[in-house]
Amino acid sequence: MIEYRTLRVALLGAGSVGSQVARLLLENREELAARSGADLQLVGIAVRNLDAKRDVELPRELYTTDAETLIVGADIVIELMGGIEPAKTYILQALNAGADVITGNKALLAEHGAEIFGAAEQVGAEVYYEAAVAAAIPIIRPLRDSLAGDNIKRILAIVNGSTNYILDRMDRFGDSMADAQKTAFELGFLEADPTLDVEGYDAAQKATLLASLAFHSSVPASGVHREGISQITPEQIQAAKDAGYVIKLLAIAERITDEDGTEGVSARVYPALVDRNHPLASVHGGNNAVFVEAEAAGPLMFYGAGAGGVQTASAILGDLVSAARRHVAGGPGLGESTHADLPLLPIGSVTTKYQISLLVTDRPGVLARIAGILSDGGVSVETVQQTVQPGEEDDATGTATLVIGTHAAREAALQATVEALTASEDTQAVVSVLRVEGAE
């Protein structure tokens, strides 16, 4: 019979994910030992309330409210409490004691990742965070290990299932934003306060992690350009359909070059138009997907459940096996790679295509004048769709809706052009400006 080295595992948090991690760790202990080469002993679960109702029935003697004592002596600490504090304090305590840390805490890593990874490197420990970006979908290890010999050009990611569910309802079933949010809330896709999801904060935190890892540079969360989906209308959804697109909230990490030749990183989140033939267009419901464009490997897509207790637990246990194997093999942990040290470039440096929707006064020459404004701004027109709404009988003019598709242009040039369009006497309103992503 094989005798395995025992590794003590401390779990912080017993919510929907933590309770599933504990259950699977206890039920599959022998199998996990065979896979990792170590006997993984769950020594305790730190919780705030011993009497709270749990999703999974576990031995009561495992629970404790004394997290600090539990951390002492642990070889591996799994943090699933969420939030910034006390999670940050506990993680730093664990690292300073030489323990490896596994976490799914995207908000904490986005805001304080440099400090946490620095603490790990000082003591030769390692931080694992596969579950922090796309739950069950493996993306951290593929970027860090499998694609380590390649150059990543761009990542386009649907990493918030709530917003994908809402936009998918609007696109496939014709729901309004309010109705789609109501259904999402009833099904558990959306919290009572939807701000974190709907306004893109959750996706922006994940964009920080993806950009930092893919481009070996420190990308602060404060520098990620963020727009949410709350202003998306059924009319925009229909205009996208008419042009062959679907609207998705994308987290984008891209290596770009500014006009002055500066090479850097763009990290941004916004609702974007995706061609219906692109793989990301087929991501429905609450699912997530990460589309990676690599220099040698070409396009790759990782797809699956982006949330859920047992699904996220799968990623946590994968990290646990990796951490255990490192302990068995010995040697220092793998630190954060920031050797490229590329600057984070502003949104104005991004080049992409656009779809501009305008309400204009329907009178002779208006289309030519609008095209002239775009041309003067360095934005060339690729397509135009025009819908005319006649005026009253005693009015010689009506209103026209123009949906203009552009060729690729710099964001800075586009924004200046939109200001000029807004000021034009022909323009009644700039209804929307959406970016096109995923095109060559």
Side-chain angles (χ1 to χ4, degrees):
M1 182 176 178
I2 300 175
E3 291 189 9
Y4 295 108
R5 172 185 173 184
T6 297
L7 293 176
R8 294 165 57 86
V9 180
L11 176 60
L12 311 181
S16 60
V17 178
S19 59
Q20 293 293 344
V21 168
R23 176 184 68 82
L24 292 170
L25 182 52
L26 294 173
E27 291 179 358
N28 301 328
R29 186 171 175 178
E30 291 185 6
E31 180 67 22
L32 290 171
R35 296 177 186 180
S36 66
D39 179 23
L40 299 169
Q41 180 187 4
L42 180 61
V43 295
I45 307 170
V47 295
R48 295 184 178 91
N49 181 0
L50 294 174
D51 299 318
K53 185 178 179 180
R54 314 289 179 198
D55 292 347
V56 178
E57 186 174 344
L58 299 168
R60 187 174 176 83
E61 61 269 20
L62 284 174
Y63 292 112
T64 178
T65 57
D66 188 356
E68 294 189 5
T69 299
L70 185 62
I71 290 169
V72 175
D75 299 296
I76 302 170
V77 175
I78 304 174
E79 182 277 309
L80 296 172
M81 304 176 71
I84 304 300
E85 287 292 357
K88 177 187 171 186
T89 296
Y90 292 154
I91 284 177
L92 291 175
Q93 286 177 348
L95 292 172
N96 290 332
D100 281 351
V101 166
I102 299 167
T103 180
N105 197 330
K106 57 187 176 294
L108 178 58
L109 293 178
E111 294 292 338
H112 302 283
E115 180 182 359
I116 289 170
F117 288 116
E121 190 169 6
Q122 284 185 351
V123 299
E126 189 162 339
V127 178
Y128 300 81
Y129 56 104
E130 186 65 73
V133 172
I137 303 172
I139 188 61
I140 301 302
R141 277 189 292 274
L143 288 176
R144 187 186 62 188
D145 301 329
S146 304
L147 295 171
D150 208 336
N151 290 318
I152 306 299
K153 298 188 295 183
R154 179 169 59 175
I155 296 174
L156 306 172
I158 298 170
V159 287
N160 184 272
S162 302
T163 50
N164 196 63
Y165 180 85
I166 291 167
L167 293 172
D168 193 45
R169 289 285 310 184
M170 295 177 72
D171 179 73
R172 292 201 291 161
F173 303 107
D175 287 12
S176 66
M177 174 63 70
D179 288 343
Q181 286 197 39
K182 183 175 182 291
T183 304
F185 173 73
E186 291 171 349
L187 294 176
F189 284 109
L190 207 59
E191 300 291 337
D193 180 0
T195 304
L196 187 68
D197 295 318
V198 171
E199 297 303 335
Y201 290 98
D202 173 80
Q205 291 166 352
K206 295 170 180 177
T208 298
L209 302 181
L210 288 171
S212 299
L213 183 61
F215 303 115
H216 308 285
S217 301
S218 180
V219 177
S222 59
V224 178
H225 178 84
R226 176 194 54 78
E227 299 173 27
I229 68 166
S230 59
Q231 302 304 310
I232 297 298
T233 65
E235 291 76 19
Q236 289 174 299
I237 296 287
Q238 187 59 51
K241 279 186 176 182
D242 293 342
Y245 297 114
V246 62
I247 299 177
K248 296 289 187 182
L249 183 72
L250 296 183
I252 302 167
E254 187 176 15
R255 193 166 184 154
I256 64 174
T257 302
D258 205 349
E259 280 187 306
D260 63 3
T262 300
E263 187 177 25
V265 175
S266 169
R268 54 198 194 269
V269 170
Y270 45 61
L273 297 169
V274 177
D275 191 288
R276 287 186 177 269
N277 293 318
H278 193 283
L280 286 174
S282 62
V283 179
H284 298 302
N287 287 313
N288 283 190
V290 182
F291 189 83
V292 179
E293 298 174 11
E295 188 175 274
L300 307 166
M301 191 164 92
F302 303 81
Y303 167 85
V310 69
Q311 292 90 343
T312 307
S314 168
I316 296 294
L317 289 174
D319 279 345
L320 181 58
V321 169
S322 294
R325 287 173 176 170
R326 190 188 75 77
H327 276 267
V328 171
L334 182 65
E336 184 185 28
S337 173
T338 58
H339 66 271
D341 196 27
L342 294 172
L344 184 63
L345 297 180
I347 186 67
S349 301
V350 172
T351 298
T352 189
K353 295 183 177 182
Y354 301 86
Q355 185 188 78
I356 307 168
S357 296
L358 304 171
L359 281 179
V360 299
T361 302
D362 183 32
R363 54 192 173 196
V366 63
L367 188 56
R369 288 190 293 273
I370 293 296
I373 293 173
L374 289 162
S375 178
D376 291 344
V379 180
S380 66
V381 176
E382 184 175 30
T383 62
V384 177
Q385 293 178 332
Q386 180 175 349
T387 304
V388 177
Q389 301 170 358
E392 300 296 333
E393 291 185 4
D394 58 349
D395 186 359
T397 62
T399 298
T401 300
L402 296 180
V403 180
I404 301 169
T406 78
H407 290 284
R410 291 264 182 197
E411 177 81 15
L414 187 281
Q415 292 302 329
T417 301
V418 169
E419 291 179 8
L421 288 171
T422 302
S424 169
E425 293 182 355
D426 291 312
T427 304
Q428 295 182 15
V430 177
V431 178
S432 71
V433 178
L434 290 171
R435 303 164 183 92
V436 179
E437 294 290 355
E440 292 298 329

